[in-house]
Amino acid sequence: MAKYVLLKHYRGAPASVNDVPMDQWAPEEVTAHVQYMNDFAARLKKTGEFVDSLALAPEGAWVRYDGEGRPPLVDGPFAEAKDLVAGWTIIDVDSRERAVELAGELSAAPGAGGKPIHEWLEVRPFLTTPH
């Protein structure tokens, strides 16, 4: 088994097919999207492939250590990276192919109008230490 993270991005990835920002969705569209995500996680919990998932707000800041006895530097209030992470799902699967298959399913979560958003998800394996 290998762990992968399926990363959702606020921006930086190619635009999804149904590219309407979530803050413009009707409340029932948001509810349907969240339910899809929860159902996806529940199904993977049954197969033992689910590890964790979390959604993040778009607000954030970059913070850096600035030397002994000095306060951290903060550049913000918003992170300006073009690939700001919106959330993630961590899975533990037998192969990269299975990770890609599950990312494809997650990409079909409903969005505006109840239609699949076809969003791009970044699939990245966890870094492992050599044995």
Side-chain angles (χ1 to χ4, degrees), residues 3-8 37-38 40-42 44-45 48-56 87-93 106 126:
K3 287 189 176 124
Y4 287 82
V5 62
L6 310 179
L7 290 170
K8 296 171 74 77
M37 304 294 283
N38 290 339
F40 180 83
L44 294 186
K45 285 177 185 175
E49 295 174 305
F50 180 83
V51 177
D52 188 31
S53 65
L54 189 64
L56 300 172
W88 64 80
T89 298
I90 299 172
I91 55 175
D92 195 356
V93 295
L106 197 53
F126 276 38

Side-chain angles (χ1 to χ4, degrees), residues 4-8 16-17 33 36-37 40 43-44 89 91 93 95-110 115-124:
Y4 287 82
V5 62
L6 310 179
L7 290 170
K8 296 171 74 77
S16 64
V17 173
H33 181 81
Y36 184 97
M37 304 294 283
F40 180 83
R43 187 168 48 84
L44 294 186
T89 298
I91 55 175
V93 295
S95 66
R96 180 182 183 281
E97 291 75 21
R98 178 65 175 153
V100 168
E101 175 186 351
L102 292 173
E105 289 181 34
L106 197 53
S107 171
K115 297 178 183 172
I117 52 180
H118 299 267
E119 75 178 324
W120 289 90
L121 295 169
E122 184 178 356
V123 177
R124 295 189 54 188

Side-chain angles (χ1 to χ4, degrees), residues 69-99:
R70 300 174 71 177
L73 290 176
V74 178
D75 184 15
F78 302 106
E80 296 177 6
K82 68 176 183 170
D83 56 350
L84 183 67
V85 175
W88 64 80
T89 298
I90 299 172
I91 55 175
D92 195 356
V93 295
D94 289 327
S95 66
R96 180 182 183 281
E97 291 75 21
R98 178 65 175 153

Side-chain angles (χ1 to χ4, degrees), residues 24-66:
Q24 296 175 22
W25 296 0
E28 61 274 10
E29 293 167 343
V30 174
T31 299
H33 181 81
V34 170
Q35 187 61 54
Y36 184 97
M37 304 294 283
N38 290 339
D39 292 346
F40 180 83
R43 187 168 48 84
L44 294 186
K45 285 177 185 175
K46 288 180 183 175
T47 65
E49 295 174 305
F50 180 83
V51 177
D52 188 31
S53 65
L54 189 64
L56 300 172
E59 299 83 19
W62 289 98
V63 177
R64 185 187 81 191
Y65 171 74
D66 196 35

